[in-house]
């Protein structure tokens, strides 16, 4: 009797999975079905799943930003800039090469992820990080740096599939935490990466007792941060062997009602009879306005975010006479380390509660409005010195990044709720392609505007870096405007307030 009771429970569990996930059977050999069973049994909320997201996203975000603190000095060592004011412009091209490569291949990687699974694309992306991030640290010329960054972006297609994975691995009520973890890891990578670059670049100068002159560290002064990130990525690559796959490997049905429930139970809880296999047609994602509108808004904020990340480090290490803070790479590392700590606390403990209280759009609107006056205060902070300067720039940096990550996480939630699972890889590929195009403009544009603003220190209207942060605020203002208009279309099951 007990065996029959357990068998009936198994059948009912399979039926529940079929009904809730639009799949025509529960297949014990399907990795996606195993994930769905864990979600129905409410065992999806595990430290392991959150940890997997953290590690993989860090592998992608650390190489993107780790070069920012030392890129100014790296380009200077290449001797390609004729004037000091031109260094920021060339630095922007190096920063943009990664995003250009990613813009050209993100849709392809998304389609591959929908066809063959999230896990293979994630593994290939991590391998690309290990190889090309290491080669970037060994760059001896401007063009070698640009080329290695381009290939790193082209072959590192894991971010889009990982965004889909972060929502698929959890039940719907826990998706905010999953995507918040994704966003937190992304934000932490963009902060810890520069901190690593700031502390570890030019180790012969900073730590002469450990790294002697005329060694490999002297010949390649920017190799150490790249090497550390590549070693970390290699460890994550090994751990990805045990990464669960979320993509189903059997046909989808048009709806849960498409298969007869009695037939499902009669077939032993599989419901895999050929008569039930009515394949669901793929939706034209470009005609999915809730998806496309959230992607467009996401791109505007991504442009602002990438320009800010590039400009902040370059502005911080610029001399006082050019409106900068005259920080060393260690000083920049200190500020970004504090910011990273704040991001971790905020994303794990604060953001999920705020998202439930205000909704993703409501919270994004508040964050966008507050960001504008905060950012325009940066040139005035640069007029300070000593402890007051360090205190206020740390507060400003933490606040700016918390507000930005609130906006980006909200856009992640809207994008993944706008499509079904079998198209999330392609949908996130479209998002990554569009975002990468905008982020290609971000570093190059930010570096060029910084260089231009530093040439007009004596202007009567918005002199020097006042103009820089004013232009950054124009982009932020455009994004905020879109958040407050009917342009952003939201699915009915997505809370807006």
């Amino acid at each position: 009797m007990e065996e029959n009771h357990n068998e009936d429970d198994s059948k009912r569990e399979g039926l529940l999975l079929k009904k809730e996930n639009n799949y025509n059977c529960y297949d014990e050999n399907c990795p996606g079905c195993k994930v769905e069973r864990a979600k129905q049994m409410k065992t999806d909320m595990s430290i392991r799943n959150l940890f997997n997201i953290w590690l993989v996203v860090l592998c992608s975000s650390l190489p993107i930003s780790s070069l920012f603190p030392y890129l100014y000095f790296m380009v200077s060592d290449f001797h390609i800039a004729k004037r000091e004011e031109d260094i920021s412009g060339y630095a922007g091209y190096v920063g943009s090469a990664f995003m250009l490569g990613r813009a050209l291949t993100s849709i392809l990687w998304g389609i591959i992820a929908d066809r063959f699974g999230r896990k293979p694309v994630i593994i290939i992306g991590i391998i690309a990080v290990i190889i090309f991030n290491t080669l970037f640290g060994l760059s001896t010329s401007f063009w070698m740096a640009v080329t290695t960054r381009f290939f790193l972006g082209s072959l590192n297609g894991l971010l889009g599939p990982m965004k889909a994975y972060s929502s698929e691995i959890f039940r719907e009520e826990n998706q905010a935490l999953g995507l918040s973890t994704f966003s937190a890891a992304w934000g932490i990578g963009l902060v810890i990466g520069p901190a690593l670059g700031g502390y570890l670049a030019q180790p012969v100068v900073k730590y002469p007792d450990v790294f002697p002159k005329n060694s490999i560290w002297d010949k390649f002064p920017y190799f150490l941060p790249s090497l550390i990130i590549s070693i970390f990525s290699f460890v994550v690559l090994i751990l990805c062997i045990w990464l669960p796959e979320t993509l189903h490997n059997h046909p989808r049905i048009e709806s849960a009602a498409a298969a007869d429930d009695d037939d499902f139970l009669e077939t032993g809880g599989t419901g895999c009879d050929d008569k039930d296999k009515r394949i669901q047609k793929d939706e034209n994602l470009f005609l999915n306005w809730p998806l496309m509108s959230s992607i467009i808004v996401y791109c505007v904020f991504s442009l602002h975010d990438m320009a800010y990340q590039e400009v902040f480090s370059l502005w911080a290490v610029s001399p006082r006479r050019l409106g900068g803070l005259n920080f060393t790479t260690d000083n920049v590392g200190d500020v970004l380390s504090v910011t990273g700590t704040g991001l971790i606390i905020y994303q794990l403990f604060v953001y999920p509660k705020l998202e439930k209280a205000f909704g993703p759009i409501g919270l994004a609107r508040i964050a966008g409005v507050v960001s504008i006056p905060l950012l325009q205060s940066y040139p005035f902070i640069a007029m300070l010195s000593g402890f007051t300067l360090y205190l206020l720039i740390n507060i400003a940096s933490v606040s700016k990044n918390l507000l930005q990550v609130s906006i980006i996480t909200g856009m992640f939630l809207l994008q993944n709720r706008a499509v079904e699972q079998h198209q999330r890889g392609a949908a996130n590929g479209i998002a990554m392609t569009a975002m990468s195009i905008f982020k290609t403009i971000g570093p190059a544009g930010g570096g060029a505007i910084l260089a231009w603003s530093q040439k007009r220190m004596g202007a009567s209207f918005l002199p020097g870096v006042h103009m820089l942060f004013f232009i950054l605020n124009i982009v932020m203002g455009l994004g905020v405007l879109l958040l407050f208009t009917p342009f952003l279309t939201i699915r009915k099951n997505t809370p807006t307030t």
Side-chain angles (χ1 to χ4, degrees):
M1 291 292 292
E2 185 177 348
E3 291 181 0
N4 291 335
H5 180 70
N6 291 337
E7 185 176 347
D8 289 341
D9 287 345
S10 177
K11 292 177 181 179
R12 290 188 181 91
E13 184 180 293
L15 178 58
L16 182 61
L17 289 173
K18 180 193 77 169
K19 283 186 174 182
E20 295 196 2
N21 297 291
N22 285 348
Y23 280 83
N24 65 332
C25 64
Y26 173 76
D27 187 348
E28 292 185 356
N29 296 318
C30 172
C33 286
K34 293 179 181 179
V35 170
E36 294 298 337
R37 169 170 283 181
K39 289 159 67 174
Q40 295 301 325
M41 296 175 67
K42 298 186 177 181
T43 59
D44 58 308
M45 275 305 301
S46 66
I47 298 299
R48 175 188 172 186
N49 286 338
L50 294 173
F51 192 59
N52 287 339
I53 296 172
W54 263 89
L55 291 178
V56 175
V57 177
L58 277 176
C59 283
S60 181
S61 58
L62 284 174
I64 294 176
S65 58
S66 61
L67 73 165
F68 289 159
Y70 62 78
L71 186 56
Y72 186 93
F73 304 102
M74 188 182 202
V75 172
S76 178
D77 290 346
F78 290 151
H79 303 294
I80 192 169
K82 296 180 179 179
R83 298 182 300 174
E84 184 179 18
E85 293 85 350
D86 296 330
I87 293 176
S88 296
Y90 284 102
Y93 296 135
V94 178
S96 294
F98 175 93
M99 292 300 170
L100 176 61
R102 194 164 70 177
L104 296 176
T105 60
S106 288
I107 292 180
L108 173 63
W109 287 119
I111 294 173
I112 293 173
D114 283 340
R115 177 66 177 85
F116 299 102
R118 320 307 189 204
K119 188 173 178 178
V121 175
I122 290 170
I123 290 175
I124 293 172
I126 295 175
I127 292 174
V129 170
I130 295 171
I131 296 173
F132 290 101
N133 186 62
T134 302
L135 290 176
F136 173 74
L138 297 172
S139 296
T140 55
S141 68
F142 173 77
W143 290 111
M144 180 178 178
V146 170
T147 302
T148 52
R149 293 288 293 181
F150 175 81
F151 280 110
L152 176 59
S154 300
L155 299 177
N156 180 10
L158 64 85
L159 206 57
M162 198 62 200
K163 195 194 304 180
Y165 182 94
S166 299
S167 64
E168 294 166 354
I169 198 71
F170 297 112
R171 293 168 62 88
E172 184 173 354
E173 63 265 27
N174 296 323
Q175 285 180 2
L177 179 59
L179 288 169
S180 176
T181 302
F182 176 98
S183 185
W186 171 257
I188 294 300
L190 293 181
V191 172
I192 298 300
L196 286 174
Y199 288 132
L200 300 180
Q202 300 172 317
V204 175
V205 176
K206 298 175 182 175
Y207 317 108
D209 295 336
V210 181
F211 301 95
K213 287 187 176 182
N214 300 320
S215 63
I216 186 174
W217 314 110
D218 195 16
K219 184 177 181 181
F220 302 103
Y222 311 104
F223 177 51
L224 183 59
S226 297
L227 178 63
I228 295 298
I229 293 172
S230 296
I231 292 173
F232 169 75
S233 300
F234 180 78
V235 174
V236 175
L237 177 65
I238 301 301
L239 296 177
C240 278
I241 295 174
W242 297 278
L243 187 72
E245 175 61 69
T246 60
L247 189 69
H248 292 269
N249 58 13
H250 56 90
R252 304 174 299 277
I253 61 174
E254 294 178 359
S255 67
D260 185 80
D261 293 350
D262 294 333
D263 290 344
F264 178 82
L265 292 173
E266 288 175 5
T267 57
T270 63
C272 291
D273 196 294
D274 287 341
K275 68 180 181 179
D276 290 331
K277 294 183 179 179
R278 288 185 277 175
I279 305 302
Q280 183 182 16
K281 295 181 180 179
D282 287 346
E283 177 187 10
N284 187 332
L285 295 177
F286 292 101
L287 298 179
N288 182 336
W289 186 244
L291 172 67
M292 298 309 298
S293 63
S294 63
I295 288 176
I296 293 171
V297 178
Y298 171 53
C299 286
V300 174
F301 284 112
S302 294
L303 170 63
H304 170 86
D305 183 40
M306 199 63 190
Y308 171 80
Q309 295 291 344
E310 169 91 3
V311 160
F312 179 81
S313 295
L314 294 174
W315 168 67
V317 299
S318 297
R320 285 277 189 172
R321 61 183 179 83
L322 296 179
L325 303 181
N326 200 31
F327 275 11
T328 65
T329 54
D330 281 349
N331 297 144
V332 176
D334 292 338
V335 173
L336 296 177
S337 296
V338 173
T339 302
T341 303
L343 273 176
I344 293 174
I345 297 172
Y346 176 76
Q347 286 293 97
L348 294 182
F349 302 108
V350 180
Y351 179 82
K353 296 179 181 179
L354 292 177
E355 191 272 336
K356 287 182 180 179
F358 298 98
I361 300 303
L363 186 57
R365 288 169 177 167
I366 295 171
V369 170
V370 175
S371 293
I372 294 175
L374 174 64
L375 191 60
Q376 203 60 49
S377 70
Y378 276 43
F380 299 100
I381 295 176
M383 298 177 181
L384 305 173
S385 61
F387 175 77
T388 306
L389 170 62
Y390 281 94
L391 177 62
L392 289 183
I393 199 63
N394 273 283
I395 293 174
S397 178
V398 171
S399 301
K400 178 65 177 69
N401 280 275
L402 295 187
L403 295 169
Q404 185 69 22
V405 84
S406 297
I407 299 170
I408 296 298
T409 304
M411 296 303 103
F412 287 168
L413 284 167
L414 295 186
Q415 289 166 29
N416 282 279
R417 290 175 182 176
V419 292
E420 299 296 332
Q421 188 209 29
H422 70 281
Q423 288 189 292
R424 280 192 187 133
N428 281 291
I430 294 172
M432 293 306 299
T433 295
M435 179 267 287
S436 297
I437 292 173
F438 278 74
K439 285 196 170 185
T440 300
I441 302 171
I449 294 172
L450 175 60
W452 170 66
S453 65
Q454 290 177 335
K455 295 176 182 177
R456 54 186 305 279
M457 297 300 295
S460 57
F461 177 71
L462 296 176
V465 294
H466 287 272
M467 176 61 76
L468 167 70
F469 290 104
F470 176 74
I471 294 175
L472 288 178
N473 262 336
I474 291 177
V475 180
M476 172 61 73
L478 175 60
V480 173
L481 181 63
L482 294 177
L483 287 176
F484 278 94
T485 62
F487 175 86
L488 184 61
T489 307
I490 306 160
R491 272 195 144 185
K492 291 182 180 180
N493 62 342
T494 302
T496 59
T497 58

